[in-house]
């Protein structure tokens, strides 16, 4: 592989939809070699999109696909990729640069020398490359944005063993077209609403029958073809084509414009990090909580103020419901079948909030995943139902946070520490007091981490859940009492601002099992 | 006018499989025990292993564990059971 200091070979390759493109020295450039079926490449793309946007005219960002035109186009549309992509179909440029894995980034300076390289996914490398391109320190990949610090890539296509004469191609897991949905003709004496219920299309509430005309109106609101597979939905891995998504969106009562949010939401849910398979199949309370951020809140009418968790707005209720219908109808996790939750969760009808960014003096949730404030995004958290925290007498932020820390201590199970995350939904009145007391999002997280613990005396009485793992827990003195810390790290506490401007009620929402062995929060852009 | 609906349910084509033939006896067989890695699984499977050997004459037990109970078994785990040529596999959990 070419190393820093080496001259970057110039080349000419076909550019997707643009004829051909010459690469030669003269201007700083970032080359990214990728494959269309490499999950680590897909993880890296949003960071490179952002870097391309920030670099502007200062440097070129050029993608080099090691796959054929069709799968590359599919990835460019789906990811989406927002920088020019060249096609290295015969792998000649890959052989010259010789990356050992994908993605590999080569930063080339104005004199045509390789200044820096990065193999696979590495946040420190991304930040170093961003700093060099932008000419100042820049955190492109935040520590707590939900992605791992590093992740191995896939072997570069030119190093894959293959028979002589065989063309490079990949098993394309992302670009298949599915069959069109079947049509069901109802005779005049059948009530379509009752049919939907009896045919098992619905949650137990009535749905709008997905007539061909209604589904077509929904499809007209997206540029995606109806047979495009957006994702395979666990646990049954049913193919969620755009048409199937649209039919369920109709049933849930969505307006056609909601396809804009629903398609990225389904992609987010099927991201392996979120592990919707486990979230749907567990006996725990977990249900996926949707958090919407950015301008799309106003554009599609999402509520983020009073009653944010309730039946307050068509957008929140129908997006959440369409999502649940898709998980059951296409993913197969129906109550009593693959979904055997002991007590369930009222959020399985619909569980969708938007962040009240107007009342939030700190960076909103989606910026922690690397998005700009002006980018719309949808995030998912494997959530218990909300647990209210009332605090109307606090004169300073610390008193509010102490009240919240007591609720946080009970997440999952009182004495069970470390394996769980929590989302703290702060109401605007609490936010005002916290902000006046000088708190930031990070210092709130730190305070809650430092002050949430279970007294060790609680472990001395009898055995029980959480008592068998105390050797893994951290000890800390909280309010003069020896405790075990509830959380392993401050970033296990997520902060969201939502709710009405009257009332000092915040909420704590527990998680299901977290981290790589459970469900990790994900956030996807809405365009 | 007739009402025509778009089917909103999963219509993904799937291959059908035939269940393996049930065993007539356990004596002399190799049996796989798959622990899904919940906290109490090993206590339960220890008891099960002992009974299979003492009461039913099982010749060999192959113990395999999933890395996490929250996800399907990865291929490497399934391969261990396949390579051990188990006559049957019991998947078990205990909290």
């Amino acid at each position: 592989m070419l190393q820093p200091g080496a001259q970057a070979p110039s080349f000419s390759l076909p550019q997707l939809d643009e004829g051909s493109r010459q690469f030669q020295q003269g201007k700083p450039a970032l080359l990214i070699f990728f494959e269309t079926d490499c999950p680590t490449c897909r993880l890296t793309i949003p960071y490179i999109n952002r870097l391309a946007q920030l670099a502007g005219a200062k440097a070129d960002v050029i993608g080099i696909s090691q796959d054929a035109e069709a799968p590359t186009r599919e990835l460019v549309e789906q990811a989406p990729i927002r920088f020019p992509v060249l096609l290295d179909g015969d792998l000649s440029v890959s052989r010259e640069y010789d990356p050992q894995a994908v993605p590999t980034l080569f930063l080339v300076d104005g004199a045509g020398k390789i200044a820096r390289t990065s193999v696979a996914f590495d946040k420190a490398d991304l930040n170093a490359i961003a700093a060099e391109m932008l000419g100042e320190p820049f955190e492109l990949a935040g520590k707590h944005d939900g992605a791992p610090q590093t992740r191995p890539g896939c072997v570069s296509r030119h190093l894959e063993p293959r028979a002589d004469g065989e063309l490079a191609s990949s098993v394309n897991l992302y670009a298949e077209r599915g069959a069109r949905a079947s049509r069901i003709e109802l005779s005049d004496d059948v009530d379509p609403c009752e049919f939907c219920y009896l045919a098992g299309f619905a949650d137990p509430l009535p749905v709008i029958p997905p007539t061909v005309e209604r589904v077509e109106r929904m499809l007209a609101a997206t540029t995606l073809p109806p047979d495009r597979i957006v994702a395979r939905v666990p646990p049954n891995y049913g193919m969620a084509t755009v048409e199937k998504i649209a039919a369920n969106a109709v049933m849930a009562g969505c307006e056609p414009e909601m396809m804009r949010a629903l398609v990225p939401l389904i992609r987010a849910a099927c991201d392996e990090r979120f592990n919707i398979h486990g979230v749907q199949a567990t006996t725990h309370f977990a249900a996926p909580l949707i958090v919407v951020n950015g301008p799309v809140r106003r554009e599609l009418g999402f509520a983020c103020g009073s009653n944010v968790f309730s039946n307050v707005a068509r957008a929140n209720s129908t997006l959440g419901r369409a999502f649940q219908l898709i998980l059951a109808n296409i993913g197969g996790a129906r109550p009593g079948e693959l979904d055997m939750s002991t007590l369930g969760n009222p959020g399985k009808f619909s569980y969708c909030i938007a962040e009240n960014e107007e009342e939030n003096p700190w960076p909103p949730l989606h910026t922690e995943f690397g998005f700009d404030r002006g980018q719309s995004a949808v995030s998912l958290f494997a959530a218990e139902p909300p647990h209210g925290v009332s605090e109307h007498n606090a004169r300073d932020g610390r008193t509010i946070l102490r009240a919240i820390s007591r609720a946080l201590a009970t997440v999952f199970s009182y004495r069970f520490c470390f394996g769980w995350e929590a989302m703290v939904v702060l109401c605007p009145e609490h936010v005002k007091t916290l902000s006046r007391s000088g708190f930031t999002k990070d210092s709130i997280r730190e305070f809650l981490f430092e002050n949430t613990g279970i007294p060790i005396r609680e472990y001395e009485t009898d055995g029980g859940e959480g008592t068998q793992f105390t050797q893994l827990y951290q000890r800390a003195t909280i309010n003069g009492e020896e405790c075990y810390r509830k959380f392993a790290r401050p970033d296990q506490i997520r902060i969201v601002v939502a709710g009405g401007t009257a009332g000092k009620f915040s909420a704590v929402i527990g998680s299901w099992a977290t981290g790589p062995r459970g469900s990790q929060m994900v956030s996807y852009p809405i365009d | 006018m007739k009402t025509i609906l778009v089917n909103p349910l999963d219509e993904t084509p799937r291959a059908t499989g035939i269940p393996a033939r049930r065993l007539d006896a356990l004596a002399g067989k190799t049996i796989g025990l798959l622990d899904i890695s919940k906290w109490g699984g090993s206590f339960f499977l220890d008891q099960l292993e002992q009974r299979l050997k003492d009461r039913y004459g099982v010749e060999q037990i192959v113990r395999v564990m999933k890395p996490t109970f929250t996800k399907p078994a990865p291929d490497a785990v399934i391969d261990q059971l396949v390579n051990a040529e188990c006559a049957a596999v019991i998947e078990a959990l205990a909290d």
Side-chain angles (χ1 to χ4, degrees):
Chain A
M1 181 172 130
L2 292 182
Q3 294 299 316
Q7 191 68 29
S10 53
F11 56 82
S12 175
L13 284 177
Q15 180 169 346
L16 193 66
D17 299 329
E18 294 279 344
S20 75
R21 178 167 175 156
Q22 191 99 18
F23 171 75
Q24 54 198 13
Q25 69 178 68
K27 188 179 183 186
L30 181 69
L31 308 179
I32 164 172
F33 287 82
F34 67 87
E35 291 166 12
T36 56
D37 62 346
C38 162
T40 307
C41 293
R42 295 173 70 86
L43 176 69
T44 309
I45 285 165
Y47 295 95
I48 307 299
N49 281 339
R50 185 148 179 246
L51 192 51
Q53 186 194 355
L54 291 166
K58 278 189 204 161
D60 288 329
V61 174
I62 301 167
I64 298 170
S65 170
Q66 298 186 326
D67 288 320
E69 184 176 347
T72 302
R73 179 175 287 109
E74 299 271 3
L75 180 67
V76 166
E77 285 170 11
Q78 271 187 18
I81 294 180
R82 295 197 173 111
F83 44 86
V85 171
L86 311 186
L87 300 166
D88 189 20
D90 63 1
L91 302 174
S92 57
V93 176
S94 297
R95 284 197 191 87
E96 282 203 84
Y97 280 75
D98 198 28
Q100 301 298 292
V102 288
T104 288
L105 280 58
F106 292 93
L107 181 60
V108 182
D109 65 20
K113 283 216 166 15
I114 292 171
R116 217 173 242 289
T117 62
S118 169
V119 180
F121 180 80
D122 186 322
K123 284 183 173 174
D125 278 352
L126 286 173
N127 289 337
I129 286 173
E132 194 141 341
M133 284 176 75
L134 304 173
E136 56 184 352
F138 185 78
E139 196 186 53
L140 179 68
K143 205 170 177 183
H144 306 306
D145 68 0
Q149 299 304 306
T150 60
R151 183 176 171 165
C154 299
V155 68
S156 178
R157 204 65 90 200
H158 74 292
L159 299 173
E160 284 179 351
R162 59 178 199 274
D164 279 343
E166 189 184 332
L167 287 174
S169 63
S170 60
V171 178
N172 198 335
L173 293 173
Y174 304 102
E176 286 176 41
R177 299 287 175 96
R180 294 294 298 265
S182 62
R183 293 333 195 221
I184 301 161
E185 192 173 318
L186 303 183
S187 57
D188 291 339
D189 58 345
V190 173
D191 176 341
C193 290
E194 200 55 27
F195 175 84
C196 288
Y197 180 74
L198 294 173
F201 293 177
D203 53 31
L205 294 175
V207 292
I208 295 176
T211 59
V212 170
E213 298 76 18
R214 290 187 181 117
V215 173
E216 276 173 3
R217 277 202 293 278
M218 197 66 71
L219 287 169
T222 171
T223 55
L224 297 172
D227 59 352
R228 166 73 57 79
I229 299 166
V230 171
R232 288 178 169 73
V233 186
N236 276 356
Y237 296 88
M239 290 192 288
T241 59
V242 173
E243 187 181 38
K244 291 278 183 191
I245 291 171
N248 282 280
V250 165
M251 293 202 297
C254 291
E255 292 181 276
E257 292 72 28
M258 193 53 76
M259 287 297 280
R260 198 180 141 201
L262 193 48
V263 169
L265 172 61
I266 299 304
R267 287 195 183 124
C270 298
D271 184 315
E272 62 181 319
R273 291 172 296 173
F274 187 63
N275 188 11
I276 191 73
H277 177 106
V279 176
Q280 291 296 94
T282 180
T283 45
H284 183 248
F285 304 90
L289 168 64
I290 306 163
V291 184
V292 179
N293 276 101
V296 74
R297 295 171 304 134
R298 297 280 169 251
E299 290 156 10
L300 296 182
F302 285 96
C304 60
S306 73
N307 265 301
V308 67
F309 281 101
S310 323
N311 45 355
V312 64
R314 182 175 180 181
N316 301 46
S317 295
T318 59
L319 180 67
R321 190 184 188 205
F323 182 41
Q324 284 294 332
L325 287 174
I326 289 164
L327 293 179
N329 286 342
I330 303 175
R334 292 171 182 281
E337 295 175 21
L338 283 171
D339 178 358
M340 294 291 285
S341 176
T342 310
L343 289 181
N345 185 328
K348 287 185 183 178
F349 279 110
S350 180
Y351 204 7
C352 174
I353 66 172
E355 181 154 26
N356 195 337
E357 295 177 26
E358 291 69 22
E359 297 291 333
N360 180 358
W362 311 302
L365 178 72
H366 65 312
T367 62
E368 295 178 36
F369 291 87
F371 297 116
D372 288 335
R373 186 184 279 265
Q375 168 74 53
S376 296
V378 62
S379 308
L380 281 172
F381 181 70
E384 293 182 346
H387 174 124
V389 181
S390 172
E391 177 48 82
H392 285 75
N393 304 106
R395 300 219 168 238
D396 63 71
R398 295 166 71 87
T399 308
I400 293 172
L401 294 182
R402 282 207 188 87
I404 290 172
S405 74
R406 298 306 180 269
L408 280 174
T410 65
V411 160
F412 202 88
S413 183
Y414 182 46
R415 293 183 296 182
F416 206 159
C417 303
F418 272 36
W420 325 107
E421 287 183 33
M423 181 177 284
V424 176
V425 181
L426 293 170
C427 68
E429 286 212 65
H430 280 163
V431 168
K432 279 201 174 75
T433 308
L434 286 160
S435 182
R436 213 167 41 231
S437 301
F439 277 101
T440 64
K441 237 177 168 181
D442 280 340
S443 63
I444 289 172
R445 256 195 285 263
E446 282 293 334
F447 187 97
L448 291 172
F449 169 73
E450 295 287 345
N451 287 279
T452 305
I454 320 299
I456 285 173
R457 62 185 153 77
E458 298 281 5
Y459 294 78
E460 288 162 0
T461 46
D462 54 1
E465 187 155 333
T467 62
Q468 66 272 53
F469 306 117
T470 52
Q471 71 278 9
L472 301 173
Y473 301 167
Q474 285 172 20
R475 280 173 178 253
T477 306
I478 299 172
N479 283 342
E481 173 138 31
E482 276 295 294
C483 292
Y484 290 122
R485 283 200 196 290
K486 181 72 180 185
F487 298 100
R489 300 181 315 275
D491 66 27
Q492 287 181 319
I493 303 163
R494 303 277 183 181
I495 311 288
V496 172
V497 175
T501 49
K504 298 187 177 183
F505 300 101
S506 289
V508 160
I509 304 176
S511 74
W512 183 56
T514 57
R517 294 189 167 208
S519 173
Q520 296 169 272
M521 200 169 177
V522 292
S523 189
Y524 272 56
I526 299 175
D527 288 323
Chain B
M1 199 175 82
K2 290 246 187 277
T3 302
I4 301 175
L5 302 182
V6 176
N7 188 346
L9 300 180
D10 178 23
E11 296 182 90
T12 309
R14 289 191 170 82
T16 51
I18 300 163
R21 217 169 67 79
R22 305 296 96 171
L23 299 181
D24 299 325
L26 291 169
K29 299 277 195 308
T30 298
I31 304 295
L33 296 183
L34 174 58
D35 183 343
I36 75 161
S37 88
K38 280 214 165 192
W39 300 284
S42 58
F43 299 106
F44 175 54
L45 287 170
D46 286 348
Q47 294 290 317
L48 199 58
E49 174 170 353
Q50 209 51 51
R51 286 197 191 188
L52 286 169
K53 284 179 173 164
D54 296 350
R55 245 188 236 181
Y56 300 101
V58 166
E59 167 107 11
Q60 199 192 345
I61 295 285
V62 178
R63 294 278 288 260
V64 176
M65 194 186 236
K66 284 183 14 174
T68 171
F69 60 84
T70 72
K71 298 181 183 181
D75 289 348
V77 168
I78 304 290
D79 285 348
Q80 283 180 58
L81 293 165
V82 171
N83 295 338
E85 298 189 347
C86 298
V89 174
I90 301 172
E91 181 171 352
L93 68 136
D95 275 308

